[in-house]
């Protein structure tokens, strides 16, 4: 039988179904016998079994042992940091090399930042830069060497920061770059900065809501005439075919080695299409209409409260016939400088550009709809930030296919997609309107 | 930043780092207000927060609410089934369609069973068959139609069994195939069977240790002259190069957009090569010597206790020079019938055959070793079943590279690979011998 699942479980993951029992050490403990864990204040320890009131069977860095419960605070204690941000999981992800390697290996992503420093170098020279969520420090290094910044503050909350300092030193940039280990929210810089750089974008642009940290950093640290990179962001939507996905997940059940397994189709739709397919590679030919922009952010001015609920009507003119399986989404960001006439540096994650580690996000309807050229697909997309799990959101897509001639409604659709945790929604979002 | 991790967390996973807080309902509960969960006896409920002594904040099938603690038993209660088998996680995996779709889509795997029924049809006709862990029932259907068995008992412990019965009926096989929902260990059949079929193989052949259930089923239900499919199994090992893996995970840090990140190499080795790489696709050219069989099982006679610890000395004659990055492992199984002269039907998951969903398993050494033709790579591989997590095991590979002429030792290696959970091992396994 399959063992692939276990591979994935070997990775620290963020999101649905991964509420582990974790505690944080509030004081050092030496471990008095072989079956007691040794740990230091601040260690995050996995609780495997709450064996007794006084001792929990736990794991830390691959070692197993008991921890005395009076030395730790459980994450579920209300006294502890709100679990709704899942910061422990979140920063634990970014504390491993795996994600950083993936991001660094994403050349369109990383080189867009580098190019911004190349194009606007004249304006970043000798300036002070803040890198929010610096990771391994690559963007700070671009700022220091390509951008010739005088000073870079590189802030990182995950454990990767332990390494960042030594990487900066090894590359002879210790004078220019100051690595600060901590959360942006708690940090006070000795000065305001000319430029903020950050790579905060996630699925549907907003997932993980790191943008909130960037906005907080901006309001706290950016000079009034300062610049923020990316300077703007756009989120796009397009109706599309996804025949191979539909074939592989739904139609496959119609004929299984000659047997009829089609009674599993409904369950398959539920299981495979309940959430968006996050790593879809949309081919341009599968777009049934030109994409439309459903969200435009000006990073200098966007406010946190703007992101709680986003509503956008759409209207697509179908350009080719085909089964409409769902909608695809992607985003782009732009880097500009007010003192420069250079054309904007753009990083697009769309199907017409080189594939990035974000891919495209595919929202599959339960059943494909037939559309023909000049049909209109009109409706509304709503993004609702999860009120409980603050790094998550829910996407609602609803609308209809209209005939080209008399605008008569042929078919309609309405679907709610959680990314990733479910949330309780008002009836108006759950129930399709007539 | 990356969002890929979250995709994986959306899947039910088995193994390391996935000890969720789960409880099982011991009685129905109607839910008295909007914020109370409604559930039925037997439901497995995710506990998100142990809010108070009397109420836990929980999730079931996407709904959130409080559950009264006197209606449930927590998995960590010692009164509950031993967590060490993780049967809840295990069967939950196999209760989703995803894994079954993956297994069904693996043609070499599925068609090997079909072919066995084709080749030995004369001997299975009108016989009684037991299918252990039948899943969607595909092997039972082969038994009934291709193998023309009189009767098939199809046993399945995961929730997929809900569907199996209706699939069997839909395909007109309800007379022949009896689907039994439950664990093999607890089931009493009305008769002994002529043939047992099962697809129990995992990473390193044994991972998940479903083989134990098959052995128990055999001892309980198989006639003395009965047949078991697969009839035998072999596990293979070969020294190999894995340049692209080493480049992508370790050497990549030497030059990151012109910066020197090489101080992360050591950490990368620890993170990426600590456990085997489970889904490696070994090309035959990367094998540095002929594979050797490190384990041979006769399924009619193997005993559970044979699998607690397996030791095998190996000696490879290197056939080409290259960096020895590690060792690859794969398995094959054979289907035979004592009353038939037909050549054995073989399913091999090795690099010379079509790729299966098992791929090959790659055990990376920390540093590559140089080997040249006629060098010998000798040593020992040990498989130790995890004494605590009974579905897991640890693999220890140790040995040396010897010169061809005088057998002088050039280099040595010793590494412990947990699959997946760590376990405490005796010193003799952890410490390399001189």
């Amino acid at each position: 039988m399959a063992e692939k699942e276990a591979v994935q479980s070997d990775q620290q993951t963020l999101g649905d179904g991964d509420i582990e029992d974790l505690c944080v050490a509030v004081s050092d403990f030496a471990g008095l016998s072989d079956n007691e864990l040794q740990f230091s204040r601040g260690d995050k320890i996995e609780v495997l079994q709450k064996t007794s009131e006084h001792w929990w069977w736990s794991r830390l860095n691959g070692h197993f042992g008991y921890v005395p419960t009076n030395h730790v605070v459980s994450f579920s204690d209300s006294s502890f940091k709100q679990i709704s941000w899942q910061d422990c999981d979140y920063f634990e992800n970014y504390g491993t090399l795996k994600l950083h390697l993936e991001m660094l290996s994403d050349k369109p992503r990383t080189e867009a930042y580098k190019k911004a420093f190349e194009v606007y170098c004249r304006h970043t020279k000798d300036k002070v830069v803040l890198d929010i969520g610096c990771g391994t420090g690559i963007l700070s290094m671009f700022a220091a060497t390509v951008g010739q910044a005088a000073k870079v503050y590189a802030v990182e909350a995950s454990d990767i920061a332990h390494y960042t300092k030594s990487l900066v030193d090894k590359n002879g940039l210790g004078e220019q770059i100051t690595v600060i280990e901590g959360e942006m929210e708690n940090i006070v810089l000795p000065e305001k900065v000319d430029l903020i750089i950050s790579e905060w974008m996630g699925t549907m642009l907003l997932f993980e809501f790191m943008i909130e940290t960037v906005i907080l950093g901006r309001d706290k640290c950016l000079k009034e005439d300062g610049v923020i990179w990316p300077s703007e962001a756009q989120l796009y939507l397009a109706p599309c075919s996804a025949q191979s996905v539909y074939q592989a997940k739904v139609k496959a059940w119609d004929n299984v080695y000659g047997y009829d397994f089609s009674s599993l189709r409904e369950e398959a739709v539920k299981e495979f299409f309940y959430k968006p397919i996050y790593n879809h590679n949309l081919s341009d030919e599968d777009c049934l209409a030109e994409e439309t922009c459903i969200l435009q952010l000006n990073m200098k001015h966007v406010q946190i409260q703007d992101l709680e609920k986003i509503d956008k009507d759409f209207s697509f003119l179908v350009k080719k016939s085909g089964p409409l399986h769902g909608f695809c989404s992607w985003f782009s960001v732009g880097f500009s400088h007010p003192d420069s006439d250079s054309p904007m540096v753009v990083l697009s994650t769309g199907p017409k550009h080189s594939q990035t580690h974000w891919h495209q996000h595919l929202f599959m309807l339960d059943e494909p709809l037939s559309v023909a050229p000049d049909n209109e697909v009109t409706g509304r997309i709503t993004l609702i930030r999860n009120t409980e799990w603050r790094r998550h959101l829910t996407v609602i897509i609803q609308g209809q296919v209209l005939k080209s001639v008399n605008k008569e409604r042929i078919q309609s659709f309405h679907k709610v997609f959680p990314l990733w945790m479910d949330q309780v929604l008002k009836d108006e979002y759950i129930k399709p309107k007539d």
Side-chain angles (χ1 to χ4, degrees), chain A residues 288-412:
Chain A
L288 299 175
E290 287 302 313
E291 71 267 22
T292 192
C293 180
I294 56 168
L295 175 65
Q296 159 84 34
L297 299 180
N298 177 325
M299 290 302 294
K300 189 78 188 271
H301 300 296
V302 63
Q303 299 296 317
I304 294 167
Q305 57 268 30
D306 299 344
L307 306 173
E308 289 292 328
K309 177 169 171 291
I310 294 151
D311 248 329
K312 177 75 180 181
D313 290 332
F314 55 73
S315 174
F316 296 104
L317 185 63
V318 174
K319 66 183 181 189
K320 62 170 94 171
S321 61
L324 168 65
H325 286 108
F327 294 84
C328 247
S329 174
W330 63 88
F331 63 85
S332 66
V333 295
F335 303 77
S336 62
H337 199 286
D339 302 335
S340 168
D341 293 334
S342 302
M344 181 175 279
V345 174
V346 174
L347 162 61
S348 170
T349 66
K352 288 178 183 134
H353 296 80
S354 300
Q355 205 59 255
T356 71
H357 78 294
W358 286 284
H359 307 269
Q360 287 85 43
H361 325 309
L362 173 60
F363 297 80
M364 289 289 281
L365 299 174
D366 289 352
E367 286 298 329
L369 308 176
S370 287
V371 298
D374 296 330
N375 282 172
E376 265 185 67
V377 178
T378 67
R380 166 173 284 204
I381 183 167
T382 309
L383 279 63
I384 300 177
R385 189 171 177 183
N386 197 309
T387 50
E388 192 180 359
W389 304 87
R390 300 296 284 156
R391 295 200 180 279
H392 300 195
L393 69 158
T394 299
V395 175
I396 300 142
I397 301 178
Q398 55 191 310
Q400 49 272 316
V401 181
L402 305 176
K403 266 191 195 167
S404 39
V405 191
N406 55 3
K407 309 283 175 198
E408 188 192 329
R409 183 196 300 189
I410 314 172
Q411 300 159 108
S412 60

Side-chain angles (χ1 to χ4, degrees), chain A residues 9-34:
Chain A
S9 72
D10 188 26
Q11 298 147 357
Q12 294 297 340
T13 55
L14 164 70
D16 196 5
D18 271 297
I19 325 298
E20 290 179 37
D21 225 341
L22 283 161
C23 65
V24 172
V26 290
S27 57
D28 296 351
F29 181 65
L32 306 175
S33 70
D34 274 352

Side-chain angles (χ1 to χ4, degrees), chain A residues 189-205:
Chain A
L189 296 186
E191 60 188 318
K192 294 246 175 184
V193 304
D194 301 293
L195 173 65
I196 289 179
I197 52 174
S198 185
E199 198 278 78
W200 50 265
M201 299 84 75
T203 300
M204 283 301 275
L205 187 60

Side-chain angles (χ1 to χ4, degrees), chain A residues 123-136:
Chain A
H123 308 288
T124 59
K125 191 171 183 313
D126 302 328
K127 293 293 170 65
V128 179
V129 176
L130 165 61
D131 179 356
I132 301 179
C134 69
T136 53

Side-chain angles (χ1 to χ4, degrees), chain A residues 22 34 36 79 81 86 98 112 115 117-118 137 142 148 154 191 299 308 352 380-381:
Chain A
L22 283 161
D34 274 352
E36 295 175 11
S79 65
K81 185 160 184 174
Q86 300 172 283
K98 184 173 173 291
K115 190 167 177 204
F117 280 108
E118 282 163 2
F142 290 153
Q148 299 178 49
E191 60 188 318
M299 290 302 294
E308 289 292 328
K352 288 178 183 134
R380 166 173 284 204
I381 183 167

